[in-house]
Amino acid sequence: MSFGTGLFTIILVIALAALVILIFITGYIKAPPDMAFIISGLRRKTVIGKASIKIPFLERIDKLSLKLIPIEVRTSNAVPTADYINIQVDAAVNVKISSDPKRLDLAAQNFLNQNTEYIGRVAREVLEGNMREIVGRMRLEEMVSDRQKFADLVKENAMPDLAAMGLDIVSFNVQNFSDANGVIDDLGIDNISQIKKKAAIAKAEADKEIAIAKASADKQANDARINSEREIAIKNNELDIQKSDLKRQADVKKAEADAAYQIQQEEQRRTIEVTSADADIAKQEKEVLIKQKEAEVMEKSLDAEIRKKAEAEKFARQQKAEAELYERQKNAEAKRFEMTQEAEAQKARAEAERFTREQEAQGIRMVGEAEAEAIKAKGLAEAEAMEKKAEAYQKYNNAAVAEMIIKVLPEVAGKIAEPLAQIDKITIIGGGDQGGSLDAVSGNVPAVMAKLFESMKETTGIDLGEIVKAGTYDAKVNRNINITGVPEITIKPEEKTGHSE
């Protein structure tokens, strides 16, 4: 249950993130500084020169240009002025959508998604009406002589009407006033005459003022020249007196300076001589001290050089000895480690080889014993057959029985030794007496034969060992042999069972 809830939460988060990214991609807008983007729907927002997000399907965006709109305002027909003169007025006006939030809302209501031509046409009609109104208030001469006043009055009168539409007047310039009766030209002629009259009077007044000013200037210039020459003479006289005083003072000062110079020169000469003598003495003393210092420095330098050289050589020898010692130690450790590893490897190999040889010897011994038991079992089996021939054998004397037994001994010995003939190689591991180990293997056949002789003696009563000895030198010469006869060969079931076991 928790896994399903977690999976649903992850899917929900991913879906919300994808929705937010989709809204951001499809609704991202960026308004330039000269354009107002108006977002409406869930909210009302105006974006100018910024970026924003529009929610798709739930909001819409409209554009409103904030660029300047140039308008040529001209009265369509003659308008009478306050002094009843019909005139026409031409003006160049620049208007724009206001950036003030309240006026921008009004402009959005009036001009949303409209082009500038439509906005200019509406503004032109408003400005033309207000311009007609101001023309009717003012006299022609006043308008012609003070165009700025006329323009300010028109702007002031039209501003409330344009503000109600969301527009601002950026500039208002009057281009021309004209009339069909030439009144403006007549005003110009009258003004020209008045201007010429005023100019002539002003010229005469100016000439008079110029003559008076010139005479006054000449008098003032002459007075100034005389006063200047007098002042120059006085100043020259004062200058000569000052020059004499200065020359006298200079001569006195020069004489005093010459005397003082001679005195100072003499004192300086004595001072130089004394200083020179002192300097020579001091120089000699300094030279002595310098030589002493040089000798001391040379001595210390030689001492330091010899000591450093000796210490360097000592240090080098110590480092070399330590390096050689370290190298020998590492070599010895490496050699000891190699010998240890080799000894352990040899020990492991010897143990493995010894175990292998022991296993081989044990196998050989077990094979021999198994074959001996098999031969023994075979002999016992054959004894049953011989039981049938017992009556025939009873007719034989002891020599005949012994002869029969002796004839089969080589075959018995060959069968016992047959397993040994299959051995190609014998490896003996462990034990110091290798001869004894070889004897243990090779003596396996005689041991089995001895067991066989004992079994025959116990079962038949015939001592095969004594019979074999009968052909020896000791038996023939010394007659040292004791052969017991076998009156009959009887194998009891109990004994056969016991031997079988």
Side-chain angles (χ1 to χ4, degrees):
M1 186 66 179
S2 60
F3 175 74
T5 305
L7 182 61
F8 176 75
T9 304
I10 293 172
I11 294 173
L12 182 62
V13 170
I14 293 173
L16 291 175
L19 180 62
V20 171
I21 293 172
L22 181 62
I23 293 174
F24 181 80
I25 293 174
T26 58
Y28 180 78
I29 59 171
K30 187 192 297 183
D34 60 349
M35 184 72 70
F37 286 1
I38 298 173
I39 300 173
S40 58
L42 292 178
R43 53 183 178 150
R44 176 71 179 273
K45 183 177 181 181
T46 303
V47 181
I48 302 173
K50 298 179 181 179
S52 184
I53 300 295
K54 175 182 74 69
I55 301 175
F57 308 112
L58 300 178
E59 294 181 344
R60 61 170 291 171
I61 181 170
D62 298 289
K63 299 179 181 179
L64 195 62
S65 176
L66 301 179
K67 294 180 180 179
L68 283 176
I69 304 173
I71 305 171
E72 291 184 0
V73 181
R74 182 177 184 179
T75 56
S76 57
N77 49 24
V79 180
T81 63
D83 48 3
Y84 304 105
I85 301 172
N86 293 327
I87 64 171
Q88 290 182 333
V89 184
D90 295 334
V93 185
N94 287 315
V95 299
K96 68 181 290 294
I97 301 295
S98 178
S99 298
D100 181 72
K102 293 182 178 179
R103 294 185 183 180
L104 189 60
D105 290 339
L106 294 173
Q109 297 174 11
N110 295 314
F111 305 113
L112 193 63
N113 296 324
Q114 297 293 337
N115 54 26
T116 56
E117 287 78 8
Y118 174 79
I119 299 172
R121 187 165 59 251
V122 174
R124 183 185 299 111
E125 292 176 357
V126 174
L127 289 168
E128 184 178 348
N130 284 274
M131 193 166 61
R132 285 173 174 273
E133 182 179 351
I134 299 302
V135 169
R137 291 183 193 175
M138 296 181 68
R139 296 171 61 253
L140 177 61
E141 185 177 0
E142 184 182 5
M143 287 187 290
V144 173
S145 61
D146 193 354
R147 295 188 178 191
Q148 186 62 44
K149 180 180 179 182
F150 175 77
D152 291 341
L153 289 174
V154 174
K155 287 176 61 177
E156 182 180 352
N157 198 58
M159 188 68 73
D161 295 336
L162 294 175
M165 300 178 185
L167 298 175
D168 287 339
I169 299 176
V170 179
S171 64
F172 189 100
N173 297 313
V174 179
Q175 300 292 326
N176 187 29
F177 292 103
S178 63
D179 70 299
N181 299 318
V183 176
I184 296 175
D185 294 336
D186 293 340
L187 288 174
I189 293 171
D190 182 47
N191 287 335
I192 290 171
S193 299
Q194 293 293 330
I195 290 170
K196 287 181 177 180
K197 178 182 176 182
K198 291 178 181 179
I201 294 171
K203 186 175 184 299
E205 291 289 337
D207 291 341
K208 182 182 71 172
E209 291 177 357
I210 289 170
I212 294 171
K214 183 178 180 182
S216 177
D218 290 340
K219 179 180 179 297
Q220 292 177 1
N222 187 48
D223 292 341
R225 182 178 59 78
I226 294 171
N227 290 330
S228 177
E229 290 178 354
R230 184 172 58 252
E231 291 293 332
I232 289 171
I234 293 171
K235 292 296 182 181
N236 288 334
N237 189 21
E238 292 177 354
L239 180 60
D240 291 337
I241 293 171
Q242 290 179 358
K243 284 182 178 180
S244 298
D245 290 339
L246 290 173
K247 187 175 182 304
R248 181 178 56 80
Q249 293 177 5
D251 292 340
V252 173
K253 293 293 183 181
K254 185 175 181 299
E256 292 177 353
D258 290 339
Y261 176 74
Q262 293 294 333
I263 295 170
Q264 184 66 26
Q265 189 175 15
E266 185 66 24
E267 290 179 355
Q268 188 175 5
R269 185 182 62 78
R270 288 198 303 270
T271 302
I272 289 171
E273 290 177 354
V274 173
T275 303
S276 178
D278 293 339
D280 291 338
I281 295 171
K283 181 179 179 181
Q284 293 176 2
E285 292 177 352
K286 289 291 184 182
E287 289 178 352
V288 173
L289 291 175
I290 289 170
K291 290 181 179 180
Q292 291 177 354
K293 291 294 184 181
E294 288 178 351
E296 292 176 359
V297 170
M298 182 63 71
E299 181 180 358
K300 290 181 179 179
S301 176
L302 292 173
D303 186 21
E305 183 177 359
I306 294 170
R307 184 181 298 109
K308 287 183 178 179
K309 185 175 181 180
E311 290 177 354
E313 292 178 354
K314 178 181 177 182
F315 180 75
R317 289 195 297 271
Q318 290 178 351
Q319 293 296 319
K320 183 177 180 181
E322 291 177 358
E324 291 177 352
L325 177 60
Y326 178 78
E327 184 177 1
R328 289 196 301 272
Q329 290 176 350
K330 289 299 180 181
N331 290 335
E333 291 177 358
K335 188 173 181 181
R336 183 169 62 252
F337 178 76
E338 291 176 356
M339 292 175 65
T340 302
Q341 294 296 320
E342 181 65 23
E344 292 179 355
Q346 290 180 358
K347 180 179 179 182
R349 287 195 299 270
E351 291 178 355
E353 190 175 358
R354 181 177 61 81
F355 177 76
T356 301
R357 291 177 179 178
E358 287 178 353
Q359 293 297 320
E360 291 178 355
Q362 185 176 359
I364 293 169
R365 185 171 59 254
M366 292 177 67
V367 169
E369 291 177 354
E371 291 181 352
E373 290 294 333
I375 293 170
K376 180 179 178 181
K378 183 180 180 181
L380 293 176
E382 292 175 350
E384 292 181 0
M386 293 176 67
E387 184 178 0
K388 301 296 182 178
K389 301 176 181 180
E391 295 177 358
Y393 289 155
Q394 289 178 357
K395 297 179 180 180
Y396 293 174
N397 56 17
N398 291 339
V401 173
E403 183 180 0
M404 291 176 64
I405 294 172
I406 290 171
K407 285 182 180 179
V408 297
L409 283 179
E411 184 179 353
V412 173
K415 294 294 184 179
I416 294 172
E418 186 175 354
L420 296 178
Q422 304 298 324
I423 298 174
D424 181 44
K425 180 181 178 181
I426 298 175
T427 302
I428 298 173
I429 300 173
D433 188 2
Q434 294 183 357
S437 299
L438 291 174
D439 292 340
V441 176
S442 59
N444 189 27
V445 175
V448 174
M449 291 294 293
K451 290 182 179 180
L452 180 60
F453 288 174
E454 292 177 359
S455 297
M456 291 296 294
K457 183 179 180 180
E458 291 177 358
T459 56
T460 62
I462 298 173
D463 190 354
L464 294 179
E466 293 296 331
I467 294 172
V468 171
K469 289 180 182 179
T472 62
Y473 176 80
D474 188 33
K476 293 179 179 181
V477 176
N478 299 325
R479 308 225 179 236
N480 186 15
I481 185 172
N482 183 16
I483 299 174
T484 56
V486 180
E488 61 181 0
I489 298 173
T490 303
I491 300 175
K492 296 179 181 181
E494 293 83 3
E495 292 179 353
K496 182 173 68 173
T497 304
H499 289 295
S500 299
E501 291 176 358

